[in-house]
Amino acid sequence: MIDDSGDRKDGTATAHVGRQWLGRYGKTDNAVVTVTTLWADERLYYPLHAVPYTPAHHFAGGRSDPAFRTKWRIAAQLAGRARAAGFPFRAAVADGAYGDLDDFRCERHAVGVPFVMAVKRRRGVWAYGDQARTPVDAAREPAWGGPGEPGAWTPVVRTFRDGHSATWWATDATLGFWGPDGTTRLVVATTDPATLPEKATWYLATDLPRPGGPRAVESPYPPAGLAEVVRIYGIRNWIEQGYKQVKDELGWADFQVRSDVAIRRHQTLVTCAFTFCWEAWSPDREPENTSAEGTTAGERGARTGSSTPTTVLAQGDSRRPQLADPRGRAATLVAGLVQRAPAVRAPGPDRRGHHRTGPQPLLPDLTNHR
C-alpha cells in the first residue's frame, strides 16, 4: 500500500515543513508530509518504510534542483525497497493521487511491480472533440439490466472483517488504450451499475492480465479476475486504519524535534512500538514450550528463538492469511537507531578544568518512574 500523510507543524525551522495539502483536514496548511508504504492482507497490516517529502522551496534550484524528489518518485523508490527487502506482495496499491500519474504507473510496470490503483472518475484521455471520455462514461457503456439481467457486470461478494458481506458489481471497461486485453485494464466496481454512486464506485487501473485473455500467457504476473482486483484494492482501507493507530495512539505526529534525522528516528521508534503491540496482541499464541531449547510453539508451528533479525513478513506464498512475527524487524529498527546514535559529546570549554560532575539521578523513591 502506497500513500502519504501530513502532520501540521508551525514555523519554518523544522525540516521538510511547508504549506501542503492535508487530506486528513481537507485543506492546505503548514505541515510535514511523509510518504509511506504498508504491507497488508485481509487479517493484518504492517508499516514498512517512511520517507518525509521535502517541498521544492527547500532547494536552491526549486523543482529543477537535482536533489528534489516528487512524492511519486519517493513512492516508487519505497516500492522497490519493499521488493528488494523480500516482502511478498501481489500488487502495489494506491489511491487516485498516485493512480492518475501516468509516469508512476508506467515506471511500476517497467520495473516489474504490478499495480492496482484508483483513478479519478473525471480523469480524461486524449481524444478529439466529442470523442473525449472519462472513466464514468466508460462505466456506462457495459450493458446492465438489473440484478436479474446483469449483462456485462459480474457480482462480487465483499466480506468484511466484522463478518458482514455486501454484493458489488464489477466489469472490464474500455477507455482509450485501456481495455480488458490492453497493457492497462480499467476495472469498474460499484454497488449500483445503474447510478454509479460517487462514494461507492471504484475506477481501478491495473496491469494484471485478464484470465483467459491473450496477455495471460505472456504476462509475468498471474491473471487476476474481477473479484481479485476488487479484493486487492479493498485491502487498501488498512492504510487508513494504520494511520489512525500510529497517529492517534502511538504519537506519530507528536514529535518535538526539528532535524531530518531526529524526525526519522521518531518515526522508527513509533514503528517499533507498533511492532511490540502486534506481538502483545496476537490472540492465537500458545504458551511458550520450554521442553525444546531455543524454540517456542505457536499456532503455525515452532518458532525459533534465533536472535538474527529479518525484515521478511512471510517466506513464499501462504495458503491462507497468517500473522507474521514482527519481532525480528523491531530488532533491526532498534539496531539501526543504536548504530546511528551520536557520539558522546566532549565537555565544553566552560566545564573543562572545573572538575564539575553532572547531576546525579534521583532515587526511584523520589520519582514517578518505575
Side-chain angles (χ1 to χ4, degrees), residues 106-130:
C106 292
E107 184 171 310
R108 295 303 84 218
H109 181 77
V111 299
V113 176
F115 60 82
V116 176
M117 300 184 184
V119 294
K120 297 176 182 176
R121 62 195 305 267
R122 296 297 181 185
R123 180 189 188 276
V125 296
W126 289 105
Y128 292 101
D130 57 357

Side-chain angles (χ1 to χ4, degrees), residues 190-338:
T190 181
T191 56
D192 185 1
T195 61
L196 300 175
E198 182 175 351
K199 294 186 177 180
T201 302
W202 296 339
Y203 304 92
L204 308 176
T206 179
D207 59 350
L208 296 174
R210 177 177 63 91
R215 289 188 58 240
V217 177
E218 61 186 30
S219 174
Y221 319 127
L226 294 171
E228 184 175 8
V229 173
V230 173
R231 179 192 67 82
I232 291 173
Y233 188 76
I235 297 176
R236 188 194 167 277
N237 290 330
W238 274 127
I239 203 162
E240 302 299 338
Q241 177 72 9
Y243 284 148
K244 177 181 178 181
Q245 292 192 344
V246 299
K247 285 189 173 185
D248 298 343
E249 305 297 336
L250 299 179
W252 176 276
D254 297 337
F255 56 85
Q256 300 294 321
V257 294
R258 293 185 173 183
S259 71
D260 169 69
V261 172
I263 292 174
R264 294 177 187 243
R265 285 178 175 170
H266 172 81
Q267 293 174 343
T268 300
L269 288 173
V270 171
T271 304
C272 287
F274 187 90
T275 298
F276 301 147
C277 289
W278 265 129
E279 179 66 20
W281 169 85
S282 180
D284 298 325
R285 288 186 303 161
E286 297 178 2
E288 290 189 2
N289 180 10
T290 57
S291 60
E293 182 180 357
T295 64
T296 55
E299 178 195 10
R300 298 167 187 88
R303 248 190 310 192
T304 63
S306 171
S307 61
T308 303
T310 177
T311 60
V312 180
L313 280 178
Q315 296 288 347
D317 296 330
S318 173
R319 294 181 177 271
R320 59 187 177 89
Q322 57 180 328
L323 180 64
D325 184 355
R327 290 180 300 176
R329 177 159 175 79
T332 303
L333 294 172
V334 174
L337 284 177
V338 173

